[in-house]
Amino acid sequence: MPIEPTMTIGGKPATSDDWIDVRNPADLTTVVGRYPNGSATHAATAVAAAVEAFPAWRDTPAAERGALLMQAAGVVTERANDLIPVLTAENGKTLMESFLDFQIGAMSLGYYAPHPEWLAEKILDNGTRRLRVQRQPIGVCAAIIPWNFPIALSCAKIGPGLMAGNTLVVKVPEFAPLATLECLAAVAAIFPPGVLNIVSGLGAEVGSALVKDKRVRKVAFVGSSETGKAVMADAAGHLAGVTLELGGNDAALILDDAELDATAINRIINGAFTDAGQVCFAIKRLYVHESRYDELVDKLTDAAARIVVGDGSRPEVMMGPLTNERQYIKVSELLTATKDAGLDVVELGSYAEGTDPAGGYFMLPHLVLNPPDAAAVVTCEQMGPILPIMKCSDVEEAVRRANDSPYGLASSVWSRDVEKAIAIGSQIEAGTTWVNSHNMASMEVDGPFGGYKESGVGQEFGGELGLSPYTQYKTITDNYHGA
């Protein structure tokens, strides 16, 4: 039965005269549901609701805000069972990947909730001088979320944004928005009306209207670097703050002493092909010491050959389709150009029994063997199941080539010598470097996460540091040093 979720504005459902169908990327004949195509007017109304709700929410004690966030985390967990199949049907990823989306979302809402002390003012009163430094909320914030992990990424903005005392408008993705609209409507109901508002529609209209609205004092955006630059330019028009988590061309360095057992190979495969490679920090370039190159290629070939592609709702499927037509065309064109350039492309994996490859946005996993650094498949963010593997002769060369990119989101170093790997990782120009892993299980929320260079502006998580992008400092003092 197709579902029809609504927007949530000022605590009430909101619809539109125009609705957009959402089809299953694993079966394009199936309509999973439809959602309201919101307008700039919807965006403005949502901002107005957030403006009205802000004073009371700002004055709500942080401990009470945290308690409501904990309730909201429970709601995400409760709704997961019903909505995981919906998310898989509209997004294409496997049921396990959809489960992780909800699990990370619930964790993100609850991460800041037990720590009102992170917002406590700092007081200096030594009898001769008095100084107070307060962390105050910014005001109305807007969060613009992509389609790959919409629950997790929405909650990663809602958690710190609301805990800090801001009110929020979330724009869900135009692709795969159904489960997110349903889930966030239930989350919004936990809070006073207008504290959390959810809108849907096209980015060019609804997203742009939010960013340009002078009442919005901060924008948190996750998406491509190109769109992120436009968001930053529009926000600069009224000097709104931004947190941007943007594209990545994430490098993994396999050193000559790396452990390449079954565990390591499985981690590399997951790092490259989770969600069909549609993860911002997925492994997108693999640099391997020449002494281990053949061994690694052989082992990755064997592992990738076992990947079963098909409808993500089937238990035997390990990789679902790409999420939407636009992404499928982009990655298909990249694959064709790579083959036309005469590069060594190896297609692997198999389709689940009964799968019609032409009936959805399916693509098998591919390895590209030792392409030149200038090849498009090496320089771009593929966001698809294509992994280029390059030889290198030493660590210095690997680091130099890894850093030769406008991106710098995540990276990894693989070695039996952990201390050596950490030292090498510190030389890589990326916001995060993992050692001997590179996937969602590698995430450490107590460390800040964000990108260098064109991979972003600002960072989130990292304990108390994660609240900084959603607060502003206020200094109050009665000191006077003049005559």
Side-chain angles (χ1 to χ4, degrees), residues 2-6 16-23 31-37 177-178 181 200:
I3 68 169
E4 296 182 348
T6 65
S16 169
D17 293 334
D18 184 25
W19 291 72
I20 299 176
D21 287 344
V22 177
R23 294 184 179 274
V31 175
V32 182
R34 63 176 192 159
Y35 70 96
N37 184 14
L178 304 176
L181 282 169
S200 56

Side-chain angles (χ1 to χ4, degrees), residues 20-364:
I20 299 176
D21 287 344
V22 177
R23 294 184 179 274
N24 187 333
D27 178 6
L28 297 176
T29 65
T30 299
V31 175
V32 182
R34 63 176 192 159
Y35 70 96
N37 184 14
S39 65
T41 300
H42 287 105
T45 304
V47 172
V51 169
E52 183 177 356
F54 174 65
W57 183 246
R58 174 195 58 202
D59 295 340
T60 301
E64 294 181 22
R65 299 196 297 257
L68 291 176
L69 277 170
M70 288 302 295
Q71 291 183 39
V75 165
V76 173
T77 300
E78 291 168 6
R79 294 305 311 271
N81 287 339
D82 293 336
L83 293 176
I84 283 172
V86 175
L87 183 57
T88 286
E90 63 176 327
N91 181 285
K93 58 188 172 184
T94 66
L95 291 173
M96 177 55 70
E97 289 164 347
S98 292
F99 168 78
L100 289 174
D101 203 341
F102 279 88
Q103 185 180 55
I104 296 170
M107 179 279 298
S108 297
L109 289 180
Y111 179 69
Y112 302 93
H115 297 289
E117 73 278 5
W118 287 350
L119 293 164
E121 67 178 4
K122 310 298 182 185
I123 301 175
L124 172 62
D125 187 347
N126 61 8
T128 61
R129 57 192 297 238
R130 289 182 295 183
L131 174 68
R132 292 174 179 262
V133 178
Q134 300 173 343
R135 300 185 71 167
Q136 297 185 344
I138 297 171
V140 176
C141 301
I144 301 175
I145 306 304
W147 42 261
N148 55 350
F149 277 82
I151 303 294
L153 292 169
S154 294
C155 292
K157 315 305 177 191
I158 295 169
L162 297 193
M163 185 62 186
N166 304 290
T167 52
L168 196 65
V169 180
V170 176
K171 183 205 167 292
V172 301
E174 56 195 74
F175 301 110
L178 304 176
T180 308
L181 282 169
E182 282 280 303
C183 181
L184 296 189
V187 169
I190 297 295
F191 303 97
V195 169
L196 178 60
N197 306 275
I198 319 299
V199 295
S200 56
L202 304 182
E205 181 169 0
V206 180
S208 179
L210 286 175
V211 176
K212 293 178 180 178
D213 194 313
K214 294 181 179 180
R215 297 169 295 177
V216 173
R217 299 309 312 152
K218 176 185 173 56
V219 178
F221 171 82
V222 184
S224 71
S225 297
E226 292 73 19
T227 305
K229 292 174 184 178
V231 167
M232 191 171 190
D234 286 342
H238 57 288
L239 296 181
V242 295
T243 299
L244 307 176
E245 183 188 323
L246 306 179
N249 189 8
D250 310 84
L253 279 58
I254 311 296
L255 306 189
D256 58 358
D257 65 343
E259 178 64 77
L260 297 181
D261 59 7
T263 297
I265 296 301
N266 186 58
R267 290 179 179 180
I268 295 171
I269 288 290
N270 287 339
F273 298 122
T274 291
D275 197 17
Q278 300 171 116
V279 180
C280 57
F281 55 78
I283 299 176
K284 302 181 183 73
R285 293 178 291 155
L286 195 55
Y287 294 99
V288 188
H289 191 274
E290 57 192 6
S291 67
R292 308 298 299 279
Y293 184 85
D294 291 341
E295 175 190 359
L296 181 63
V297 168
D298 287 346
K299 290 181 176 180
L300 288 180
T301 298
D302 289 344
R306 294 192 292 271
I307 294 176
V308 178
V309 177
D311 187 328
S313 66
R314 296 174 58 173
E316 74 273 23
V317 166
M318 302 163 67
M319 191 177 87
L322 299 177
T323 296
N324 57 74
E325 182 181 27
R326 186 167 68 193
Q327 191 65 21
Y328 177 76
I329 291 173
K330 175 185 173 183
V331 179
S332 296
E333 289 177 346
L334 174 64
L335 185 60
T336 298
T338 303
K339 293 177 179 178
D340 289 347
L343 302 181
D344 190 355
V345 180
V346 183
E347 182 177 85
L348 298 160
S350 61
Y351 288 111
E353 183 178 354
T355 299
D356 176 11
Y361 300 129
F362 294 110
M363 182 176 291
L364 293 171

